Structure formats: C-alpha cells, structure tokens
Amino acid sequence: MSEQIRRNVERILRELQPGVILEAAAKTRAPEEILQAIEAGVKIVGQNYVQEAERAFAVIGHRAKWHMIGHLQRNKVKRALGVFDMIETLDSLPLAAEIERRCQGRTIPVLIEVNSGREPQKSGVLPEDLLDFAKEVARFPHLRVLGLMTMGPRFGDPEAARPYFRLTKELFGTLDALGLPKVEMRYLSMGMSNTYQLAVEEGANIVRIGSMIFGERPKA
Ligand SMILES: *Cc1c(COP(=O)(O)O)cnc(C)c1O
C-alpha cells in the first residue's frame, strides 16, 4: 500500500510540468499515508476539516506545508490558524475579518475561492463579485491575497470542467493586470485527480490530488 502511494506520487511528479505544484488532498487519509506521500516528494498537504488537519499535524508537523481546502467556518478560524500555512478557500468578508482578528500579528496568505460554476450549493465568490471582493480583502492589514482557487462543477466527463478552469484563469489575469496593492496573482489552484491535466493546460499551478495518490476513498 505505502509502496503504491510512493509510486503514484513519483509518477505524478515526473509527469507534471515544471512550475506546477502537487498538493496532496488528504481528507480521510491516515497520517501514515500522508507521510508516505511526503517522503515521496509532496510538499503541500490539503485538508478539508480543521479537526482532521490537527490530528495529522500532530504527527507530521512541519514536514509539509498545510493548506485549508475545505469550507472554513468562522468559529474554527482560531484553530485553523494553528495548523494552516495558507487558506485556499477565502469566500466571505466576515471570514476575512475573523482571520484578521485571530492572526496575532502574523501575515496570512490566502487564495480567494471562486464559485466558477455559479452553483448555489457551493461556496466561493461569484465571478462578477470577485474584483470588489479582492479590493475589500486587501484592506485587511494581515491578509495577503496570493491567487485563486476553484473546484468547478463535477461532471462525468472531465473535459466538461474546462470552461470553468478557463474562466477562473481569465479572472486571475484580470486581477493580475489590475495590480491591486497586497493582491498578488501567484497561485492558481485548480484540478483534481480526474481533471488536473486539463486544469494545468488552462493555467493551474497548484493541483490538488487525492485518489490518484492514495487510492479511492472508501464509500461511506
Ligand atoms: C477531495 C478534494 C480534492 C481531490 O479530489 P480527488 O478526486 O480525490 O483527487 C481536491 N480538492 C478538494 C477541495 C477536495 O475536497
């Protein structure tokens, strides 16, 4: 099993274009599995839940960078900041305010999550609200916007996700060209196991991969 994780990571790293960062999406995985991925070369671990991240962090610590990739509730911000190096899922101004309030003088790198599919049940900032949102976030002294993250709608056919990645890349370019102070378009986080190749074709430089590293998640 661990041998398989190592082989998967090595293969993905070999095949990824230079400049594209592999993030292991580690929800439901045991710390031992995550460690195998780190030993094979993963530098960033994505977690969806604060409590699960705390458990893994207690074992693994600073052997990797930790990114929050799930919806972050305001009442979990304090604990989240104890673990995460970056919040990829900034999606509201009240959440930004809470991060500012809890940061203890640290500068917190964030990505703005874009709801590129305009799906009502999903979190993220709508494309048309993104510019104003980024300007507002930049006013918080300790938040540093370093890019965008999107999930995009889930389809049977991965190719169907492409327009949503393309849209997010366009927004990334627009924000970049605006050159807002404290808003730096450095990271574009998009693509999962079944879509990361086309996400990279559309400009992603962080890909979040779970099942292709760790195997299929057991169905609940
Ligand atoms: C689970 C998850 C991924 C990875 O999904 P896989 O299909 O297992 O590669 C990526 N991003 C987020 C936000 C996730 O929750």
Side-chain angles (χ1 to χ4, degrees):
M1 180 64 203
S2 58
E3 189 61 11
Q4 193 59 52
I5 291 174
R6 184 174 63 74
R7 274 203 297 271
N8 291 341
V9 168
E10 287 175 352
R11 180 175 45 77
I12 296 166
L13 286 175
R14 236 188 348 263
E15 289 170 4
L16 276 181
Q17 288 85 331
V20 180
I21 300 167
L22 171 60
E23 171 173 1
K27 56 178 174 278
T28 76
R29 312 300 179 170
E32 294 69 30
E33 295 175 282
I34 302 171
L35 264 179
Q36 295 291 341
I38 293 167
E39 279 159 13
V42 163
K43 303 252 184 299
I44 300 177
V45 177
Q47 288 282 6
N48 296 63
Y49 301 101
V50 172
Q51 197 173 341
E52 203 180 326
E54 286 174 334
R55 279 199 299 268
F57 182 75
V59 176
I60 296 168
H62 296 289
R63 282 182 272 185
K65 297 281 186 197
W66 298 84
H67 285 199
M68 178 59 170
I69 61 173
H71 177 65
L72 180 55
Q73 294 169 285
R74 270 184 287 163
N75 63 7
K76 299 273 172 63
V77 165
K78 182 164 184 272
R79 286 167 57 192
L81 293 181
V83 173
F84 291 111
D85 299 285
M86 182 187 280
I87 309 296
E88 291 197 21
T89 47
L90 184 71
D91 61 359
S92 78
L93 291 177
L95 177 60
E98 185 63 10
I99 295 172
E100 176 66 37
R101 191 166 89 84
R102 297 288 190 178
C103 74
Q104 299 188 303
R106 224 173 104 202
T107 295
I108 310 298
V110 299
L111 305 184
I112 299 174
E113 181 177 5
V114 180
N115 185 351
S116 56
R118 318 180 96 274
E119 296 169 280
Q121 77 281 13
K122 281 217 182 126
S123 48
V125 177
L126 291 174
E128 62 270 30
D129 297 334
L130 181 63
L131 293 190
D132 285 339
F133 183 80
K135 284 180 197 163
E136 288 298 320
V137 174
R139 294 155 64 111
F140 292 101
H142 293 90
L143 269 71
R144 183 100 183 279
V145 179
L146 291 185
L148 304 180
M149 178 272 204
T150 198
M151 292 281 287
R154 283 277 217 167
F155 298 102
D157 174 14
E159 188 62 35
R162 189 184 292 277
Y164 304 93
F165 295 151
R166 188 166 292 178
L167 169 67
T168 308
K169 168 69 184 193
E170 276 168 24
L171 295 165
F172 185 88
T174 304
L175 267 178
D176 193 28
L178 278 182
L180 297 172
K182 296 187 45 262
V183 177
E184 190 184 337
M185 288 296 107
R186 196 188 299 175
Y187 300 114
L188 183 54
S189 172
M190 49 189 202
M192 324 206 315
S193 291
N194 60 346
T195 55
Y196 77 92
Q197 277 131 335
L198 60 109
V200 170
E201 287 168 20
E202 297 302 331
N205 60 9
I206 298 179
V207 292
R208 307 180 308 268
I209 299 184
S211 46
M212 194 177 275
I213 293 176
F214 299 108
E216 289 302 323
R217 278 182 298 281
K219 296 273 183 294

